[in-house]
Amino acid sequence: MTFAARVAATLSNLPLKRRFLIQTALIALGTVALAVIAARMQYLDLTSTRQAGLKAQTDMALGVIEGYAKQVAAGTLDEAEAKTRALAVLASMQANQGVDYFFVTDEVPTMLMHPTRPDLIGKPLQDVLSPDGKRIFPEFVRVAKAGGGTVDYRWAKAGEEDPVQKTSYAARYAPWHWVIGTGVYLDDTQAQALQFTFIMTIA
């Protein structure tokens, strides 16, 4: 007799009320499992959408840099001044009360511009760790040299006591050996997924 047949036989010998309770429990567990799976899929979809948005924003930042590089090529600006102006413009490109911003490093990596961490500017970043222990800046350089990509880590967020999960996109401006990055915090995405799980479970 197969396992399924044995289970069916066992259930058929149980009192009707007990069978009903077991079936109800199994349905409830299945519903909760589906809710968790659906919430996880929603979280991954939202994260993917945000990462695509980060890439588009980084492409825009690269366009700003390219604009100054063209002025250097045309002879209307020297390269040092063009770099200074490009960094100043990128530093001003902030949103959400300074939560969303760009940062720039070279390929060493050394910090060239970070609007919320001026203490890092001019400093080598090889051994700067995120709160979850990642050497994120060398990883930014690696993915940027590979053609651009995302890095997941935890980082301090204004107004939050504990570090928050964050995903960043980094790209390279090869002529100047710059790495440009921007990121987005995922705490609200996680909260949406948990809320969805709760609603589905209650339903």
Side-chain angles (χ1 to χ4, degrees), residues 3-200:
F3 175 76
R6 287 199 301 270
V7 171
T10 301
L11 288 175
S12 65
N13 292 327
L14 292 174
L16 181 61
K17 183 178 180 179
R18 185 171 296 180
R19 273 186 285 164
F20 174 76
L21 291 175
I22 291 173
Q23 290 170 351
T24 302
L26 290 173
I27 292 171
L29 287 173
T31 302
V32 172
L34 286 174
V36 171
I37 292 170
R40 177 61 178 172
M41 292 176 65
Q42 182 195 45
Y43 172 77
L44 293 175
D45 182 61
L46 287 171
T47 301
S48 177
T49 299
R50 290 192 167 190
Q51 289 174 341
L54 293 176
K55 182 181 184 304
Q57 292 168 26
T58 306
D59 288 342
M60 179 179 64
L62 290 172
V64 170
I65 297 169
E66 182 63 33
Y68 283 101
K70 287 179 179 178
Q71 294 183 54
V72 174
T76 57
L77 273 180
D78 64 71
E79 186 171 294
E81 179 64 19
K83 288 180 177 180
T84 298
R85 292 188 185 185
L87 291 176
V89 170
L90 293 177
S92 70
M93 293 168 63
Q94 300 181 48
N96 196 17
Q97 298 182 336
V99 172
D100 301 322
Y101 55 84
F102 291 98
F103 61 87
V104 182
T105 75
D106 61 19
E107 296 177 3
V108 174
T110 303
M111 185 64 75
L112 301 179
M113 186 280 292
H114 197 300
T116 68
R117 292 292 304 273
D119 57 303
L120 293 178
I121 294 176
K123 294 184 178 179
L125 304 168
Q126 293 93 331
D127 297 324
V128 174
L129 301 179
S130 64
D132 52 352
K134 288 186 178 181
R135 285 183 169 82
I136 54 174
F137 291 103
E139 185 65 8
F140 289 143
V141 174
R142 186 190 69 78
V143 300
K145 285 185 172 181
T150 57
V151 179
D152 297 324
Y153 57 101
R154 298 183 72 82
W155 197 249
K157 180 181 180 182
E160 297 290 338
E161 183 176 347
D162 297 321
V164 173
Q165 189 67 32
K166 188 174 187 179
T167 186
S168 288
Y169 186 89
R172 181 187 186 211
Y173 185 67
W176 290 356
H177 304 286
W178 280 7
V179 173
I180 300 89
T182 188
V184 64
Y185 291 97
L186 298 176
D187 52 333
D188 58 339
T189 302
Q190 293 170 330
Q192 288 180 44
L194 288 173
Q195 184 181 39
F196 180 78
T197 302
F198 176 77
I199 292 171
M200 287 290 291

